[in-house]
Amino acid sequence: MLMKASTPSSVLLVCLGNICRSPTAEEIFRQQAAIAGLNMKVDSAGTGDWHIGHKPDARAQRHAKSHGYNISKLVARQVNAEDFYNFDLILAMDTQNLADLQVIREELLGSSHTEKSLAKLALFSEEDPTYGGDNVPDPYKGDGDAFEEVIERIESSSKAWIESWKAV
């Protein structure tokens, strides 16, 4: 469980390929943080490397746009060790992504880095009273309903994180 101390100045959102869930989350989170008056760096990445340099999935772009989110200019990238220094908080879309991120973080800790110098990790839905502890399902092999569900869950969990920081 993540221990909240204060609002982070930077958040990285991570899924598997960085073409569906995390770019959608990046834009939704960025907009909701701005509406809440939070000045923070928001970015996204994937744990896998097969979509590096690609635009988000066309279906993700289409569904995001229908909700007022433009993700068409985002470009997929893979999470790297520098992200653990450049971000205060890294949020994983599912438990497998979180486990993959924990492995990287543990390797960095083994390299004589201190706990405080590295980003904190959490499951994206951790603070969400509706979806708390649930994975954001990967819509890649699904239909339009799968992309709609992802947007609903991401909006809910983004709001929950922002509300949790306001309560601190």
Side-chain angles (χ1 to χ4, degrees), residues 32-39 166:
Q32 288 186 6
I35 289 167
L38 299 176
N39 182 20
K166 286 182 176 180

Side-chain angles (χ1 to χ4, degrees), residues 13 15 18-31 42 44 56-57 59-65 67 69-71 74 93 124 136 139 147-148 150-152 154-155 158:
L13 303 145
C15 71
N18 194 215
I19 61 167
C20 294
R21 294 173 291 173
S22 58
T24 301
E26 176 183 345
E27 184 57 25
I28 291 172
F29 205 95
R30 180 181 289 118
Q31 284 191 29
V42 180
S44 64
D57 183 282
R59 297 164 299 167
Q61 289 186 52
R62 187 170 51 255
H63 286 275
K65 187 174 184 176
H67 289 269
Y69 306 112
N70 183 0
I71 62 171
L74 300 179
M93 294 293 126
F124 184 69
V136 176
F147 286 88
E148 288 298 313
V150 163
I151 290 170
E152 178 183 313
I154 289 171
E155 286 176 335
S158 295

